[in-house]
Every structure is written in C-alpha cells, then in structure tokens.
Amino acid sequence: MINNRPPDIVITDVIMPRMGGIDLCKKIKTSPLLNHIPVVIISAKNRDEDLLEGLKCGADSFIKKPFLPDELRVRVNNLLQSRSLLKEKYRRTVFRDENWEKSEENNHTEFLRHVTDIIYREMKNPEFTSGKLARELALSVSQLNKKLNATTGYPSSTYILHVKLSHAKKILATRDKTIGEVASECGIYDLNYFSRVFKKETGITPTQYKRLPNL
C-alpha cells in the first residue's frame, strides 16, 4: 500500500504486529521510490544501543517512551518543514545550476541527478515523454510523479519542461543563437509554444530575456 500511496511521513513503533519498526525503516530507506519519506521511530527501549540501532537504519527521529504528545508534534512539524526547505533547495540546484555541497549528497540528490541526466541526454528528442523517462528508471509514470512531486513539487511532465527551459536560459545567456535554434536545442520545435511556456516561466519572452544585461 505504501508503494501506491506514499505518505508524507511514517511514524512507527519498534514493536509492530507484522513488521518491526526497524525493518520497516530499512525497507523505506533502501527503496529508491520511498527513501525521501521521513521516518519517526517510537520505542520503549531506552538503551543507547537501541537508539543507535534506530539511527543506523536511517530513521530521521527516535523518540523514547514515555513522551509528551507535544514532543511528537514538534518533531513531525520540524521534519516536514525541513523536507519543504530541501524541496526548494533541490529546485534551485537543478534549475539555477547551483552546486551541491559534498555534505548534501544523498539518495534524493542522486535520484534527481540521474533523472536530470536522462533529460539532458534526450534534450533534443521531441518524442521524449514522461512515459519514456519512467521506463528508463524502471518505474511507472504514477510512481515517478509521486517521487518527483515529493522531492521537487513537480510531476514528471512539468519537471521535464522546467529542465528544458532552464537549459534554454543558459543558451540564451551564453551563446549567440536565434530563438528558433534555442528552442530546437531543447527539443521544442513549435516556436509559438516555446515562447509561450518560456514567458509563463520567466515573465518575459525569449527575445526580451536574451537582451537582459549581465546575464
């Protein structure tokens, strides 16, 4: 069920009927589809070794019983806020060509790098779609959309378009090409469509963007 409808966060006890919290956490954190989901483990075990085991399996937070409801609420809110900030960071890095700090390398950035590399490889291919991207990643389109939505806030078709437009902005800023040539470089052969989506993204036309000083 979790594969079909990934939650925003998972809260689990160490001792559960079918699968213990530690094993569940390991399963989530080793899944390319689910590893972005924060996991909170609750346990009545209070030894340092138990805490260490919880953190080793990839848990984002470990709460010892007994605990105050407000403690759980604060930790959950902090984790969700942190994920929201990371989502914005991922978008800035991909679309503004920022560099990742080495300490920020993780499964999420690795997944986005892989997705973005595939899009760049197929940049000039007008037949490249979300379906083809999903097949490259051995995912269904639905699974890909959920993963990208969780990490960037965009479904796959929108993410592909944003990567293309980001590439277009780089070309306009650094190379002397016509608008038609720039659109073709991005695999978009309908110039009116290219101009329309570019303006929707940036607020100005490609021609106006090209004339901006200090690009």
Side-chain angles (χ1 to χ4, degrees):
M1 181 177 178
I2 194 172
N3 285 318
N4 296 325
R5 300 180 64 183
D8 292 326
I9 193 166
V10 169
I11 302 172
T12 179
D13 201 305
V14 167
I15 301 173
M16 298 290 285
R18 295 184 180 179
M19 179 184 293
I22 298 295
D23 289 335
L24 175 61
C25 184
K26 288 178 180 177
K27 191 176 182 67
I28 291 172
K29 293 302 182 179
T30 55
S31 166
L33 181 62
L34 305 173
N35 58 23
H36 61 277
I37 300 173
V39 177
V40 177
I41 293 180
I42 298 171
S43 176
K45 299 179 179 180
N46 291 319
R47 298 179 307 165
D48 290 340
E49 292 85 348
D50 299 318
L51 171 61
L52 188 59
E53 184 183 14
L55 296 177
K56 277 184 176 179
C57 75
D60 297 270
S61 189
F62 190 95
I63 300 178
K64 298 177 182 179
K65 295 180 181 178
F67 60 89
L68 296 173
D70 282 347
E71 178 187 359
L72 177 60
R73 190 176 299 112
V74 167
R75 292 205 189 199
V76 167
N77 287 338
N78 285 345
L79 284 171
L80 292 177
Q81 184 178 19
S82 175
R83 283 297 183 273
S84 180
L85 292 173
L86 279 175
K87 188 182 293 187
E88 179 57 31
K89 172 63 178 177
Y90 296 153
R91 286 201 295 256
R92 289 201 310 270
T93 301
V94 172
F95 303 138
R96 299 181 191 175
D97 202 28
E98 294 182 2
N99 294 320
W100 288 106
E101 296 294 334
K102 195 67 178 175
S103 60
E104 292 176 321
E105 292 287 351
N106 54 44
N107 289 332
H108 315 318
T109 61
E110 184 179 337
F111 174 78
L112 282 179
R113 283 181 188 277
H114 186 36
V115 169
T116 307
D117 285 346
I118 293 172
I119 297 171
Y120 266 92
R121 190 191 71 206
E122 299 289 338
M123 183 66 71
K124 294 183 180 181
N125 179 6
E127 304 299 322
F128 185 69
T129 62
S130 296
K132 291 185 177 181
L133 176 59
R135 284 194 292 275
E136 286 256 4
L137 297 165
L139 298 172
S140 69
V141 173
S142 176
Q143 289 173 326
L144 175 60
N145 284 338
K146 288 170 184 173
K147 177 71 175 181
L148 282 175
N149 256 320
T151 51
T152 69
Y154 299 125
S156 55
S157 58
T158 305
Y159 187 80
I160 291 171
L161 180 59
H162 275 298
V163 173
K164 286 177 176 285
L165 293 177
S166 176
H167 184 56
K169 286 188 282 187
K170 293 173 192 173
I171 298 174
L172 288 168
T174 59
R175 291 155 64 182
D176 186 21
K177 286 183 174 287
T178 67
I179 304 304
E181 288 172 333
V182 173
S184 297
E185 287 269 341
C186 299
I188 301 174
Y189 295 92
D190 183 333
L191 193 53
N192 289 331
Y193 171 74
F194 174 72
S195 296
R196 187 168 65 252
V197 295
F198 189 94
K199 185 174 182 179
K200 184 178 180 181
E201 167 74 11
T202 64
I204 56 178
T205 66
T207 301
Q208 291 170 327
Y209 187 89
K210 189 175 183 179
R211 292 173 181 167
L212 289 176
N214 302 320
L215 278 178

